[in-house]
Amino acid sequence: MSISFLLARLLRALLTLFGVVTLTFALSRLSGDPLGLLLPDTATLADRELLRASLGLDRSWLVQYVTYLRDLLSLDLGRSLAYERPALAVILERVPATLELGLGALVLSVLVSVPLGLVAAVKRNSLFDRAVMAFSLLVQSVPSFVVGILFILLFSVSLRLLPSFGRDSPASLVLPVATLTLYPLAFLVRLTRAAVLDVINQPFIRTARAKGVSPRTVVMKHALRNALIPVVTVVGLQLASIISGSAIVETVFAWPGIGWLAVQSIRTRDYPVIQGVVLLSSLAFSLITLVVDVLYTFIDPRIQYS
Amino acid sequence: MRTPPNRRKLRLVLLAGLVSAALTLSSVQARTLTVGLNATLASLDVHTAIGPNVVGTRVFGIFSDALVGIGADGSLQPMLALNWTNHGTDWVFELRQGVVFHDGSEMTSDDVVYSFERILDPANAAVAASQIRRKISGVRATGEYEVTFTTPAPDPLLPLRLTSYWTSVVSKNTADLDEAARQTRPIGAGPYKVVEFRTNDRIVFEAHDAYWGGRPAADEVVIRFIPEDATRVAALQAGDVDLITQVPVDQVAQLEGSRGVQVLSVPVQSYMTIQMNAVNGPTADPLVRKAMHLAVDRELIVDELWNGRSRAMTDLLLPGDFGFDSSRPVYPYDPEGARAALAQSGYKGEPIRLEVTAGYYPNGDVITIALIQMWQDVGLNVVLDATEGSAFLDRYLAGQTETGMQGRGANGDAQIMFEDWLPGSIWRPAYYVPPAEFDELLARTAVSLDAQERYADFRRMVEIFEADLPFTPLYQNVDISAVRSGINWQPHPRQLLDFRPGNLSFD
């Protein structure tokens, strides 16, 4: 992989982030004025104008935008309107909770889905295959807030096995991670199955079998490795669904992460926090896609970037 | 082989000893009360936090006290002030002695003056305190335990205004704290002191041993933020929390069927209305507003959709508000009268937009649907326009709402509600301009110390509003909580979580 390729990718990521910053800035302001939400109903016009000026919202959009971009260069995301503290600090203190949840869900979904998809493909049309496919269809059809509540009712209220909410102990992680895992898991199972089936019918697999290679080696070494390329791409993309899914799952489980913060900030029109959350999520997403591109060259040495 | 009798005895004695030791340990175990709250707080700085809001009302009183308290019956009660007397534009408050802040310092008039200087500082614009800023022109210490407030004009309501959480007193040592400490470790004089605050997660309080009202019953109070209704209810059923606020009406039956859980509801000092634009749109016609007012069956809503837990409105004021007339019946449900009013009006069936913040008011979505049906039955073409909260507010503040669901309340005195229509209010020209007589009465009640005169004036103002109908009252709001058995606690009509001695005990 050449340095110029990496530089070009980084530049593209920066351009994407610039677009995200601009779009979020414009969209959050188009959604309305935060003053109505910050002030009591009885506030007078003078109160409103005083607050508007103190928050810097009396300046034109262009001035606010240029100031925002300038401050961004020094990693200053502005001051949260609701928390009355630097937005970056408000966001960063929630990152560990979301990372815990997101990585847990990502790792779990890969660990479970790849073997399930592989076995389903190898035992195509068997009862196991049909059961796995039916399960993944069901899981993909049920919204995560319904699954989350059902999990709470079953494991917390009825069985009293796990905490119903919060982030207090390792046990607290189980239900939210399980809820967040289900959708990407179901998707990855179907994808792995399809990719393996696709590869299994290729001539080189037939050749390997004809050469007398053991069925286990054929599947694990030849079929799976080749089937992994689309799976790795999608695992990277699933990060986006995990980030967006965390907004719902964190709210359902009162999990103090970025997703819940994003929901609250949108409700209170806390511009600096909304912009910061979107920016950091996009940054994470850009980095992941870059990592996925790099991973390709290891999985398939035929892939070369120049 | 049988165990010799002596050894059996010894075992019994040892067992008895262990059991009694365990019992002793459990009796000295800390009593923790864990509360599941529906909304979060961003800051615990009572003077600068954004508001007013219900979550602030619920939480700030746990760790901070105001000069004046308010009882469940709406009566004013001594808190940090023992008594108060009016001298025209001066109100003199005698402070309680022996009040100890959470940092161990004793409260004097300097702390009260320091607190009100913060409250009155215009730099703290984004705060609930902006409400009181115009009502106080000065605060000064007139003794070690005496403070004198000066108001721009005689103000009969100042003691009532000083019951609000944003007028709580903090130690003057707050000045030595940096911003982060002021927001997370406030120095109040309330029954519990903050030991940990994790935004979006929890606030941990411990009992303030030196609380002036006596040591509180709980050793520790933990507030957990749980925004999702179903999760909050499940957390109580699972035993993860001891008390939850804002129980949705549709979950009440399920909770009442749960063992070891008690549902408590209390009517609060506010009510729901349908606001009708008296300036623009189809409801600018007074006969259309009258038809909307008469077509609503309030008792049906209360009986069927609130399971009788609410109260159908009889007045623009509530029991506990000064100015309330207890002799009035429920507003009449008169569909025939509504149809007759419509027949006389110039209304031709044009759509009337009812703007509602979806999911915002407890039970609001279902009630809205019932209301629309009632209006359609008499020939009013009311159409639902469900919007997101901030979008609704934008349209409302811009004067663009035709009709909408809105909460109102006088918070103890009719003046407070009618002041929403003070000349100069932002939305007055867009929604309803009361007659000159109203302005005169409002100016008089604002400064009058004659209770009889004020009462008569308020009744006349109610008459004016009921003739013009800028809004129609529906039902009194209800706050529903649920608590685990063995915890004796009563919800407060002002929605504050009162865990003071006297309102909280454990079996």
Side-chain angles (χ1 to χ4, degrees), chain A residues 192-213:
Chain A
T192 309
R193 179 182 177 273
V196 171
L197 280 179
D198 194 38
V199 173
I200 271 178
N201 294 324
Q202 298 283 327
F204 71 90
I205 296 285
R206 208 179 315 133
T207 310
R209 280 186 180 139
K211 271 172 32 186
V213 178

PDB file of all heavy atoms in Angstrom, chain A residues 192-213:
ATOM      1  N   THR A 192     -22.876 -13.631   5.636  1.00  0.00           N
ATOM      2  CA  THR A 192     -21.838 -14.665   5.667  1.00  0.00           C
ATOM      3  C   THR A 192     -22.326 -15.904   4.934  1.00  0.00           C
ATOM      4  O   THR A 192     -21.610 -16.493   4.129  1.00  0.00           O
ATOM      5  CB  THR A 192     -21.509 -15.035   7.138  1.00  0.00           C
ATOM      6  OG1 THR A 192     -21.260 -13.846   7.854  1.00  0.00           O
ATOM      7  CG2 THR A 192     -20.299 -15.953   7.216  1.00  0.00           C
ATOM      8  N   ARG A 193     -23.584 -16.239   5.214  1.00  0.00           N
ATOM      9  CA  ARG A 193     -24.139 -17.428   4.552  1.00  0.00           C
ATOM     10  C   ARG A 193     -24.101 -17.248   3.042  1.00  0.00           C
ATOM     11  O   ARG A 193     -23.633 -18.121   2.306  1.00  0.00           O
ATOM     12  CB  ARG A 193     -25.578 -17.636   5.042  1.00  0.00           C
ATOM     13  CG  ARG A 193     -26.271 -18.820   4.419  1.00  0.00           C
ATOM     14  CD  ARG A 193     -27.713 -18.916   4.941  1.00  0.00           C
ATOM     15  NE  ARG A 193     -28.451 -19.998   4.317  1.00  0.00           N
ATOM     16  CZ  ARG A 193     -29.121 -19.875   3.172  1.00  0.00           C
ATOM     17  NH1 ARG A 193     -29.121 -18.738   2.518  1.00  0.00           N
ATOM     18  NH2 ARG A 193     -29.782 -20.927   2.696  1.00  0.00           N
ATOM     19  N   ALA A 194     -24.567 -16.105   2.566  1.00  0.00           N
ATOM     20  CA  ALA A 194     -24.622 -15.866   1.122  1.00  0.00           C
ATOM     21  C   ALA A 194     -23.212 -15.862   0.526  1.00  0.00           C
ATOM     22  O   ALA A 194     -22.974 -16.451  -0.540  1.00  0.00           O
ATOM     23  CB  ALA A 194     -25.324 -14.543   0.850  1.00  0.00           C
ATOM     24  N   ALA A 195     -22.257 -15.223   1.238  1.00  0.00           N
ATOM     25  CA  ALA A 195     -20.894 -15.118   0.713  1.00  0.00           C
ATOM     26  C   ALA A 195     -20.241 -16.500   0.647  1.00  0.00           C
ATOM     27  O   ALA A 195     -19.584 -16.830  -0.337  1.00  0.00           O
ATOM     28  CB  ALA A 195     -20.085 -14.172   1.597  1.00  0.00           C
ATOM     29  N   VAL A 196     -20.454 -17.299   1.684  1.00  0.00           N
ATOM     30  CA  VAL A 196     -19.853 -18.639   1.694  1.00  0.00           C
ATOM     31  C   VAL A 196     -20.464 -19.490   0.582  1.00  0.00           C
ATOM     32  O   VAL A 196     -19.754 -20.184  -0.152  1.00  0.00           O
ATOM     33  CB  VAL A 196     -20.030 -19.310   3.083  1.00  0.00           C
ATOM     34  CG1 VAL A 196     -19.602 -20.773   3.038  1.00  0.00           C
ATOM     35  CG2 VAL A 196     -19.230 -18.563   4.132  1.00  0.00           C
ATOM     36  N   LEU A 197     -21.788 -19.391   0.428  1.00  0.00           N
ATOM     37  CA  LEU A 197     -22.445 -20.168  -0.636  1.00  0.00           C
ATOM     38  C   LEU A 197     -21.897 -19.788  -2.001  1.00  0.00           C
ATOM     39  O   LEU A 197     -21.697 -20.633  -2.865  1.00  0.00           O
ATOM     40  CB  LEU A 197     -23.967 -19.909  -0.595  1.00  0.00           C
ATOM     41  CG  LEU A 197     -24.743 -20.683   0.462  1.00  0.00           C
ATOM     42  CD1 LEU A 197     -26.220 -20.319   0.405  1.00  0.00           C
ATOM     43  CD2 LEU A 197     -24.562 -22.189   0.253  1.00  0.00           C
ATOM     44  N   ASP A 198     -21.664 -18.487  -2.149  1.00  0.00           N
ATOM     45  CA  ASP A 198     -21.141 -17.991  -3.413  1.00  0.00           C
ATOM     46  C   ASP A 198     -19.771 -18.602  -3.701  1.00  0.00           C
ATOM     47  O   ASP A 198     -19.480 -19.062  -4.805  1.00  0.00           O
ATOM     48  CB  ASP A 198     -21.057 -16.464  -3.317  1.00  0.00           C
ATOM     49  CG  ASP A 198     -20.857 -15.858  -4.680  1.00  0.00           C
ATOM     50  OD1 ASP A 198     -21.448 -16.373  -5.634  1.00  0.00           O
ATOM     51  OD2 ASP A 198     -20.083 -14.868  -4.779  1.00  0.00           O
ATOM     52  N   VAL A 199     -18.923 -18.615  -2.662  1.00  0.00           N
ATOM     53  CA  VAL A 199     -17.544 -19.092  -2.834  1.00  0.00           C
ATOM     54  C   VAL A 199     -17.520 -20.609  -3.020  1.00  0.00           C
ATOM     55  O   VAL A 199     -16.752 -21.132  -3.841  1.00  0.00           O
ATOM     56  CB  VAL A 199     -16.688 -18.657  -1.612  1.00  0.00           C
ATOM     57  CG1 VAL A 199     -15.306 -19.296  -1.693  1.00  0.00           C
ATOM     58  CG2 VAL A 199     -16.575 -17.158  -1.553  1.00  0.00           C
ATOM     59  N   ILE A 200     -18.383 -21.289  -2.292  1.00  0.00           N
ATOM     60  CA  ILE A 200     -18.379 -22.761  -2.322  1.00  0.00           C
ATOM     61  C   ILE A 200     -18.597 -23.303  -3.733  1.00  0.00           C
ATOM     62  O   ILE A 200     -18.098 -24.372  -4.087  1.00  0.00           O
ATOM     63  CB  ILE A 200     -19.446 -23.293  -1.319  1.00  0.00           C
ATOM     64  CG1 ILE A 200     -18.797 -23.458   0.038  1.00  0.00           C
ATOM     65  CG2 ILE A 200     -20.058 -24.609  -1.769  1.00  0.00           C
ATOM     66  CD1 ILE A 200     -19.754 -23.937   1.109  1.00  0.00           C
ATOM     67  N   ASN A 201     -19.322 -22.528  -4.546  1.00  0.00           N
ATOM     68  CA  ASN A 201     -19.604 -23.000  -5.898  1.00  0.00           C
ATOM     69  C   ASN A 201     -18.537 -22.592  -6.912  1.00  0.00           C
ATOM     70  O   ASN A 201     -18.692 -22.838  -8.107  1.00  0.00           O
ATOM     71  CB  ASN A 201     -20.972 -22.484  -6.349  1.00  0.00           C
ATOM     72  CG  ASN A 201     -22.073 -23.107  -5.505  1.00  0.00           C
ATOM     73  OD1 ASN A 201     -21.963 -24.273  -5.123  1.00  0.00           O
ATOM     74  ND2 ASN A 201     -23.094 -22.330  -5.178  1.00  0.00           N
ATOM     75  N   GLN A 202     -17.477 -21.931  -6.434  1.00  0.00           N
ATOM     76  CA  GLN A 202     -16.424 -21.494  -7.360  1.00  0.00           C
ATOM     77  C   GLN A 202     -15.579 -22.709  -7.799  1.00  0.00           C
ATOM     78  O   GLN A 202     -15.421 -23.679  -7.043  1.00  0.00           O
ATOM     79  CB  GLN A 202     -15.503 -20.496  -6.639  1.00  0.00           C
ATOM     80  CG  GLN A 202     -16.192 -19.230  -6.180  1.00  0.00           C
ATOM     81  CD  GLN A 202     -16.428 -18.252  -7.307  1.00  0.00           C
ATOM     82  OE1 GLN A 202     -15.615 -18.184  -8.241  1.00  0.00           O
ATOM     83  NE2 GLN A 202     -17.531 -17.541  -7.249  1.00  0.00           N
ATOM     84  N   PRO A 203     -14.968 -22.625  -8.998  1.00  0.00           N
ATOM     85  CA  PRO A 203     -14.169 -23.756  -9.503  1.00  0.00           C
ATOM     86  C   PRO A 203     -12.995 -24.104  -8.580  1.00  0.00           C
ATOM     87  O   PRO A 203     -12.668 -25.280  -8.422  1.00  0.00           O
ATOM     88  CB  PRO A 203     -13.661 -23.243 -10.849  1.00  0.00           C
ATOM     89  CG  PRO A 203     -14.572 -22.129 -11.233  1.00  0.00           C
ATOM     90  CD  PRO A 203     -15.120 -21.561  -9.984  1.00  0.00           C
ATOM     91  N   PHE A 204     -12.369 -23.087  -7.937  1.00  0.00           N
ATOM     92  CA  PHE A 204     -11.179 -23.433  -7.136  1.00  0.00           C
ATOM     93  C   PHE A 204     -11.530 -24.300  -5.933  1.00  0.00           C
ATOM     94  O   PHE A 204     -10.721 -25.060  -5.431  1.00  0.00           O
ATOM     95  CB  PHE A 204     -10.386 -22.177  -6.728  1.00  0.00           C
ATOM     96  CG  PHE A 204     -11.055 -21.307  -5.700  1.00  0.00           C
ATOM     97  CD1 PHE A 204     -10.833 -21.538  -4.357  1.00  0.00           C
ATOM     98  CD2 PHE A 204     -11.879 -20.266  -6.068  1.00  0.00           C
ATOM     99  CE1 PHE A 204     -11.434 -20.737  -3.395  1.00  0.00           C
ATOM    100  CE2 PHE A 204     -12.485 -19.458  -5.131  1.00  0.00           C
ATOM    101  CZ  PHE A 204     -12.265 -19.692  -3.787  1.00  0.00           C
ATOM    102  N   ILE A 205     -12.768 -24.193  -5.451  1.00  0.00           N
ATOM    103  CA  ILE A 205     -13.186 -25.048  -4.342  1.00  0.00           C
ATOM    104  C   ILE A 205     -13.331 -26.496  -4.852  1.00  0.00           C
ATOM    105  O   ILE A 205     -12.912 -27.446  -4.205  1.00  0.00           O
ATOM    106  CB  ILE A 205     -14.528 -24.550  -3.745  1.00  0.00           C
ATOM    107  CG1 ILE A 205     -14.346 -23.154  -3.138  1.00  0.00           C
ATOM    108  CG2 ILE A 205     -15.098 -25.522  -2.717  1.00  0.00           C
ATOM    109  CD1 ILE A 205     -13.617 -23.139  -1.819  1.00  0.00           C
ATOM    110  N   ARG A 206     -13.920 -26.560  -6.061  1.00  0.00           N
ATOM    111  CA  ARG A 206     -14.078 -27.887  -6.644  1.00  0.00           C
ATOM    112  C   ARG A 206     -12.693 -28.519  -6.828  1.00  0.00           C
ATOM    113  O   ARG A 206     -12.469 -29.686  -6.536  1.00  0.00           O
ATOM    114  CB  ARG A 206     -14.818 -27.792  -7.983  1.00  0.00           C
ATOM    115  CG  ARG A 206     -15.603 -29.058  -8.315  1.00  0.00           C
ATOM    116  CD  ARG A 206     -16.348 -28.945  -9.643  1.00  0.00           C
ATOM    117  NE  ARG A 206     -17.049 -27.679  -9.796  1.00  0.00           N
ATOM    118  CZ  ARG A 206     -16.991 -26.922 -10.890  1.00  0.00           C
ATOM    119  NH1 ARG A 206     -16.255 -27.278 -11.915  1.00  0.00           N
ATOM    120  NH2 ARG A 206     -17.668 -25.797 -10.965  1.00  0.00           N
ATOM    121  N   THR A 207     -11.751 -27.715  -7.312  1.00  0.00           N
ATOM    122  CA  THR A 207     -10.383 -28.206  -7.528  1.00  0.00           C
ATOM    123  C   THR A 207      -9.788 -28.700  -6.217  1.00  0.00           C
ATOM    124  O   THR A 207      -9.194 -29.776  -6.144  1.00  0.00           O
ATOM    125  CB  THR A 207      -9.496 -27.063  -8.089  1.00  0.00           C
ATOM    126  OG1 THR A 207     -10.174 -26.484  -9.190  1.00  0.00           O
ATOM    127  CG2 THR A 207      -8.137 -27.575  -8.505  1.00  0.00           C
ATOM    128  N   ALA A 208      -9.972 -27.885  -5.159  1.00  0.00           N
ATOM    129  CA  ALA A 208      -9.413 -28.270  -3.856  1.00  0.00           C
ATOM    130  C   ALA A 208      -9.992 -29.599  -3.397  1.00  0.00           C
ATOM    131  O   ALA A 208      -9.268 -30.475  -2.919  1.00  0.00           O
ATOM    132  CB  ALA A 208      -9.712 -27.188  -2.831  1.00  0.00           C
ATOM    133  N   ARG A 209     -11.327 -29.718  -3.600  1.00  0.00           N
ATOM    134  CA  ARG A 209     -11.966 -30.983  -3.197  1.00  0.00           C
ATOM    135  C   ARG A 209     -11.407 -32.147  -4.021  1.00  0.00           C
ATOM    136  O   ARG A 209     -11.143 -33.219  -3.492  1.00  0.00           O
ATOM    137  CB  ARG A 209     -13.480 -30.894  -3.387  1.00  0.00           C
ATOM    138  CG  ARG A 209     -14.155 -30.153  -2.265  1.00  0.00           C
ATOM    139  CD  ARG A 209     -15.648 -30.229  -2.416  1.00  0.00           C
ATOM    140  NE  ARG A 209     -16.294 -29.506  -1.338  1.00  0.00           N
ATOM    141  CZ  ARG A 209     -17.355 -28.736  -1.483  1.00  0.00           C
ATOM    142  NH1 ARG A 209     -17.886 -28.584  -2.680  1.00  0.00           N
ATOM    143  NH2 ARG A 209     -17.870 -28.136  -0.452  1.00  0.00           N
ATOM    144  N   ALA A 210     -11.250 -31.906  -5.336  1.00  0.00           N
ATOM    145  CA  ALA A 210     -10.770 -32.953  -6.239  1.00  0.00           C
ATOM    146  C   ALA A 210      -9.371 -33.390  -5.857  1.00  0.00           C
ATOM    147  O   ALA A 210      -9.003 -34.552  -6.007  1.00  0.00           O
ATOM    148  CB  ALA A 210     -10.809 -32.448  -7.680  1.00  0.00           C
ATOM    149  N   LYS A 211      -8.589 -32.399  -5.329  1.00  0.00           N
ATOM    150  CA  LYS A 211      -7.214 -32.712  -4.912  1.00  0.00           C
ATOM    151  C   LYS A 211      -7.195 -33.557  -3.648  1.00  0.00           C
ATOM    152  O   LYS A 211      -6.145 -33.996  -3.182  1.00  0.00           O
ATOM    153  CB  LYS A 211      -6.452 -31.416  -4.651  1.00  0.00           C
ATOM    154  CG  LYS A 211      -5.780 -30.904  -5.910  1.00  0.00           C
ATOM    155  CD  LYS A 211      -5.149 -29.529  -5.795  1.00  0.00           C
ATOM    156  CE  LYS A 211      -4.590 -29.146  -4.468  1.00  0.00           C
ATOM    157  NZ  LYS A 211      -4.132 -27.747  -4.418  1.00  0.00           N
ATOM    158  N   GLY A 212      -8.364 -33.707  -3.023  1.00  0.00           N
ATOM    159  CA  GLY A 212      -8.439 -34.530  -1.815  1.00  0.00           C
ATOM    160  C   GLY A 212      -8.224 -33.749  -0.528  1.00  0.00           C
ATOM    161  O   GLY A 212      -8.007 -34.344   0.531  1.00  0.00           O
ATOM    162  N   VAL A 213      -8.300 -32.413  -0.594  1.00  0.00           N
ATOM    163  CA  VAL A 213      -8.189 -31.607   0.628  1.00  0.00           C
ATOM    164  C   VAL A 213      -9.390 -31.921   1.514  1.00  0.00           C
ATOM    165  O   VAL A 213     -10.505 -32.098   1.013  1.00  0.00           O
ATOM    166  CB  VAL A 213      -8.169 -30.094   0.268  1.00  0.00           C
ATOM    167  CG1 VAL A 213      -8.104 -29.241   1.529  1.00  0.00           C
ATOM    168  CG2 VAL A 213      -7.011 -29.772  -0.656  1.00  0.00           C
TER     169      VAL A 213
END
